[in-house]
Amino acid sequence: MSLTYSISDLARELDITTRAIRFYEEQEMLSPERRGQERVYSAKDLVTLKLILRGKRIGFSLAECKELIELYDPVHGNRKQLETFMRKIAERRLQLEQQLLDIQQMQLELDTAEERCLTALAETDRKQGIAS
C-alpha cells in the first residue's frame, strides 16, 4: 500500500493552508483521488507541492512551476526538464541583477533628494535665524 495524505496532513507537513492546496488543484497541478468527499493525496502530490513551493521561493511564476513539473518524464529521463530549469534559472538571475541595479539607482536618487532637503532645511534655518 502506498503512502497517502489527507489535505490537512499536507498542509501541516508543508506549513501551508488547505486553501492553497485547493488552489493548486484548481490550477490542475494536483489531482488527488476522491473517497467520497475526502481528498486523498499521493506521495507524488507531496513532491509536486514541494516543487511548487521551491519554485515560488526562487521567484518562478506558477505557470513556470507547472511547465517544469509537466516536463518530468521518469521513463525517458528528465534532461529536457533540467535544461528548461537551467534556462529559467539564468533568466531569473538576469532579472534579479537588473532589480539590484534598479535598487542601487533608487538609493542614489534618495541620497540626492535627502541631501537637497537637508540643504534646504539648513538654508531655511539660517534665514529664520537672520530674520529673528
Side-chain angles (χ1 to χ4, degrees), residues 12 21 44 50 52 62 64 69-70 75 81 84 91 97 107 115 117 125 127-128:
R12 191 171 31 260
I21 296 170
K44 180 183 178 204
K50 285 181 178 180
I52 292 167
L62 200 53
E64 289 172 314
I69 290 165
E70 289 173 349
V75 175
Q81 181 192 41
T84 302
E91 290 169 2
E97 288 169 7
Q107 286 175 323
E115 189 176 308
C117 285
D125 288 346
K127 287 180 181 177
Q128 286 180 350

Side-chain angles (χ1 to χ4, degrees), residues 64-118:
E64 289 172 314
C65 291
K66 187 174 183 178
E67 176 188 359
L68 288 167
I69 290 165
E70 289 173 349
L71 285 173
Y72 179 70
D73 184 355
V75 175
H76 299 100
N78 57 352
R79 181 173 187 83
K80 185 172 183 177
Q81 181 192 41
L82 293 171
E83 288 172 343
T84 302
F85 189 37
M86 289 295 292
R87 189 182 77 251
K88 290 188 179 302
I89 288 171
E91 290 169 2
R92 184 68 182 132
R93 282 187 196 279
L94 287 174
Q95 289 172 344
L96 289 172
E97 288 169 7
Q98 183 58 54
Q99 286 176 335
L100 184 57
L101 289 172
D102 292 345
I103 289 169
Q104 290 169 338
Q105 181 62 40
M106 194 178 302
Q107 286 175 323
L108 288 172
E109 290 177 22
L110 287 170
D111 290 345
T112 301
E114 181 180 44
E115 189 176 308
R116 287 181 180 161
C117 285
L118 289 171

Side-chain angles (χ1 to χ4, degrees), residues 11-25:
R12 191 171 31 260
E13 176 145 349
L14 299 172
D15 195 27
I16 59 175
T17 64
T18 56
R19 189 177 187 298
I21 296 170
R22 285 191 293 274
F23 172 76
Y24 297 131
E25 275 184 60

Side-chain angles (χ1 to χ4, degrees), residues 4-55:
T4 60
Y5 304 88
S6 70
I7 194 168
S8 56
D9 291 337
L10 283 181
R12 191 171 31 260
E13 176 145 349
L14 299 172
D15 195 27
I16 59 175
T17 64
T18 56
R19 189 177 187 298
I21 296 170
R22 285 191 293 274
F23 172 76
Y24 297 131
E25 275 184 60
E26 291 168 10
Q27 300 302 309
E28 299 179 354
M29 297 179 79
L30 299 172
S31 51
E33 291 181 29
R34 295 279 187 165
R35 290 190 191 140
Q37 294 286 16
E38 182 183 4
R39 293 171 168 90
V40 180
Y41 297 88
S42 67
K44 180 183 178 204
D45 292 319
L46 174 65
V47 170
T48 298
L49 275 170
K50 285 181 178 180
L51 291 172
I52 292 167
L53 296 173
R54 182 179 302 143

